[in-house]
Amino acid sequence: MIYLKWTSAELATLREDALYTEIDEDGWVQREVAVTPEGAISHQAVPSLEQPGWFGLSRLAMPMLESNITQVEFERVWRLGD
């Protein structure tokens, strides 16, 4: 899996402080979670089993598939929404 943290500097339409995504080796977004500037979860999504990557960024291009955060950091943020 590949783990990315996006900010409004990378995504001009991002209203939250950060968007964290978990992406499989084929480029499909598996999970995503958005965090407000106050640190609260504003959005948390898991794609359907029938159509992976149906939400958010969908499928990313192969050159973009390099983690900029660790799995541990992603899981820490993900658990905030539980």
Side-chain angles (χ1 to χ4, degrees):
M1 292 291 187
I2 297 143
Y3 299 92
L4 296 169
K5 176 183 177 183
W6 306 85
T7 65
S8 58
E10 289 99 17
L11 297 173
T13 58
L14 184 63
R15 294 175 189 233
E16 290 82 3
D17 190 51
L19 176 68
Y20 294 80
T21 54
E22 177 184 64
I23 302 157
D24 70 15
E25 47 283 337
D26 293 325
W28 290 109
V29 175
Q30 296 302 305
R31 296 186 289 171
E32 73 177 22
V33 59
V35 180
T36 68
E38 296 79 28
I41 300 298
S42 63
H43 166 79
Q44 188 173 26
V46 177
S48 71
L49 296 175
E50 292 79 36
Q51 189 177 5
W54 64 267
F55 64 86
L57 298 171
S58 295
R59 190 172 189 194
L60 298 176
M62 294 308 285
M64 297 177 74
L65 299 181
E66 186 174 325
S67 293
N68 65 0
I69 62 169
T70 65
Q71 180 181 2
V72 170
E73 182 177 356
F74 179 87
E75 294 297 343
R76 180 188 58 78
V77 174
W78 182 261
R79 284 191 302 276
L80 293 174
D82 289 343

